[in-house]
C-alpha cells in the first residue's frame, strides 16, 4: 500500500478550496494542507482574511485598553494603530499564500474582507467548496472548547469543513467514517472518503452507533463506492460517545482522518464539542 502526504486527503472535485487565515501558526498549517489539496485536485485556492469589525469598533471607544501578551502592560487601544497592524498582517498572509502555492503553480486569490468572521466566510463559501480551518489538537484540559468561529462554520457551512491539525502520519493508517441512520448523509460521508482514498490509498473503517447494523448488500455497495478490496474495509460499533472512549478507539484504528456528517449522532451527543477538541487528527464534517 502506497502512502502520500496526509494533507492530500480531502479533495474537492468541482469547487474551490477555501482556507481561513488569521496569521496564527495553525492557520498557516491549514494553509499548507489546503495548498496540497488544491494542487491534488486542480482546484482554485482562496485565502480568506477577515478584519474583525467588533475589534475595530472596540478600539474606537476612548476607554478601551489593550494589554500586551508578553509585557502585561496596559495602554490605550488605538484604532489607527490597529488598522496599521491589520494591514501588515494582511500583507504577511498574502505572502504566505503565494509561498504555499508556489511549489505547485496553482491558481490562488486572497480575499480581504471586514465584518464578522463566520458571516464573511459563509458569504464566500459555496456548496461545492471545501473549507479548511486550522485548530489546536489534543486537549483534554478542563473547560477546553472548540472556538466559536470553528463551531459556527461547522454548523452552517454549505459544503464540507476540514478541521485541520498537525499530527504524526501513521503508516497503514485508516480513514474512519462514522455512519448513522440517515442514508443521504451517509452517502455524502462515504463519497468524501472515496475521494480522499483515491489519492491516499488507505483502508477504511466504518464506525456505527450503538445498536446499528449494515445489511450485507449495503456494505457491498459502500465497498464498491469506496473502490477498495473487502480486506481493506472494516466495521466497528461505537459503544459510547464519551470523548475519551472515542479517541481511544480511533487510536486503536490508527486513524489518520475522521469523516462524519453534521447531523450524525456523534456530533449531536453530549460532549461532541469536547470530542472535536480532543481528537488529534483532521476531521472532515460533511453537510
Amino acid at each position: 500500500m502506497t502512502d502520500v502526504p496526509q494533507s492530500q486527503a480531502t479533495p474537492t472535485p468541482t469547487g474551490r478550496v477555501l482556507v481561513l487565515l488569521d496569521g496564527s501558526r495553525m492557520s498557516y498549517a491549514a494553509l499548507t494542507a489546503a495548498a496540497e489539496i488544491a494542487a491534488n485536485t486542480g482546484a482554485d485556492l482562496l485565502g480568506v482574511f477577515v478584519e474583525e469589525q467588533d475589534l475595530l469598533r472596540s478600539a474606537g471607544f476612548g476607554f478601551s485598553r489593550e494589554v500586551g501578551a508578553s509585557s502585561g502592560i496596559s495602554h490605550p487601544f488605538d484604532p489607527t494603530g490597529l488598522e496599521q497592524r491589520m494591514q501588515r498582517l494582511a500583507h504577511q498572509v498574502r505572502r504566505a499564500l503565494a509561498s504555499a502555492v508556489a511549489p505547485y503553480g496553482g491558481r490562488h486569490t486572497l480575499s480581504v474582507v471586514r465584518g464578522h468572521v463566520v458571516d464573511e466566510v459563509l458569504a464566500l463559501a459555496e456548496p461545492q467548496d471545501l473549507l479548511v480551518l486550522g485548530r489546536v489538537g489534543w486537549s483534554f484540559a478542563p473547560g477546553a472548547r472548540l472556538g466559536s468561529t470553528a463551531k459556527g462554520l461547522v454548523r452552517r457551512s454549505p459544503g464540507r469543513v476540514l478541521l485541520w491539525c498537525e499530527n504524526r502520519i501513521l503508516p497503514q493508517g485508516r480513514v474512519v467514517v462514522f455512519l448513522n441512520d440517515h442514508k443521504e448523509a451517509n452517502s455524502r460521508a462515504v463519497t468524501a472518503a472515496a475521494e480522499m482514498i483515491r489519492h491516499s490509498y488507505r483502508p477504511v473503517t466504518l464506525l456505527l452507533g450503538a445498536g446499528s447494523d449494515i445489511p450485507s448488500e449495503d456494505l457491498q455497495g459502500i465497498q464498491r463506492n469506496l473502490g477498495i478490496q473487502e480486506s481493506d474495509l472494516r466495521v466497528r460499533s461505537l459503544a459510547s460517545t464519551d470523548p475519551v472512549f472515542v479517541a481511544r478507539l480511533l487510536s486503536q484504528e490508527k486513524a489518520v482522518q475522521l469523516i462524519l456528517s453534521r447531523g450524525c449522532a456523534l456530533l449531536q451527543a453530549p460532549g461532541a464539542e469536547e470530542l472535536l477538541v480532543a481528537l488529534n487528527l483532521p476531521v472532515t464534517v460533511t453537510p
Side-chain angles (χ1 to χ4, degrees):
M1 185 175 297
T2 303
D3 290 327
V4 298
Q6 185 178 330
S7 54
Q8 297 181 5
T10 311
T12 176
T14 58
R16 303 164 298 173
V17 177
L18 276 62
V19 56
L20 181 58
L21 300 169
D22 59 12
S24 67
R25 184 184 66 84
M26 281 309 303
S27 77
Y28 288 143
L31 171 59
T32 299
E36 292 187 10
I37 294 169
N40 242 16
T41 61
D44 290 347
L45 178 61
L46 175 62
V48 184
F49 177 77
V50 182
E51 299 175 341
E52 272 280 15
Q53 187 68 51
D54 288 344
L55 190 61
L56 290 163
R57 286 174 178 168
S58 297
F61 294 112
F63 56 80
S64 296
R65 311 282 293 180
E66 62 178 338
V67 180
S70 57
S71 68
I73 298 174
S74 173
H75 52 85
F77 201 6
D78 176 37
T80 301
L82 179 60
E83 290 270 10
Q84 293 174 346
R85 290 203 300 271
M86 284 187 171
Q87 291 174 7
R88 288 195 298 270
L89 185 55
H91 180 65
Q92 293 169 9
V93 164
R94 184 174 284 105
R95 287 191 302 175
L97 177 61
S99 177
V101 175
Y104 312 108
R107 298 180 299 273
H108 66 282
T109 308
L110 177 66
S111 178
V112 179
V113 293
R114 179 167 295 186
H116 300 288
V117 176
V118 173
D119 293 339
E120 296 302 328
V121 173
L122 290 176
L124 292 169
E126 299 176 356
Q128 298 82 12
D129 294 337
L130 168 69
L131 175 59
V132 185
L133 307 175
R135 67 176 179 85
V136 177
W138 200 259
S139 173
F140 282 125
R145 293 289 183 269
L146 188 68
S148 59
T149 296
K151 189 190 308 182
L153 291 172
V154 163
R155 290 177 176 174
R156 298 171 56 192
S157 177
R160 300 174 193 168
V161 178
L162 170 58
L163 297 173
W164 182 259
C165 70
E166 296 175 301
N167 69 325
R168 182 170 58 90
I169 298 176
L170 299 174
Q172 307 300 316
R174 306 180 72 88
V175 175
V176 177
V177 184
F178 185 84
L179 301 181
N180 55 29
D181 296 329
H182 301 284
K183 288 189 175 181
E184 291 186 4
N186 287 347
S187 176
R188 288 191 288 269
V190 169
T191 297
E195 292 168 1
M196 171 180 172
I197 63 176
R198 188 176 302 144
H199 295 271
S200 63
Y201 308 105
R202 293 188 181 274
V204 174
T205 295
L206 303 179
L207 195 58
L208 308 180
S212 298
D213 194 13
I214 302 180
S216 58
E217 60 271 20
D218 290 351
L219 187 60
Q220 293 171 1
I222 290 173
Q223 179 189 329
R224 286 194 300 271
N225 290 338
L226 290 171
I228 60 177
Q229 300 296 319
E230 183 178 357
S231 58
D232 286 332
L233 182 62
R234 186 154 64 206
V235 180
R236 293 195 62 173
S237 295
L238 186 64
S240 170
T241 56
D242 176 77
V244 176
F245 179 86
V246 176
R248 185 180 301 120
L249 186 148
L250 292 171
S251 177
Q252 293 171 358
E253 291 297 297
K254 296 182 173 60
V256 295
Q257 187 167 149
L258 173 65
I259 300 176
L260 69 173
S261 67
R262 182 184 301 149
C264 76
L266 194 59
L267 283 185
Q268 302 304 315
E273 182 180 327
E274 289 80 0
L275 173 64
L276 292 181
V277 172
L279 292 180
N280 190 31
L281 76 166
V283 178
T284 295
V285 181
T286 65

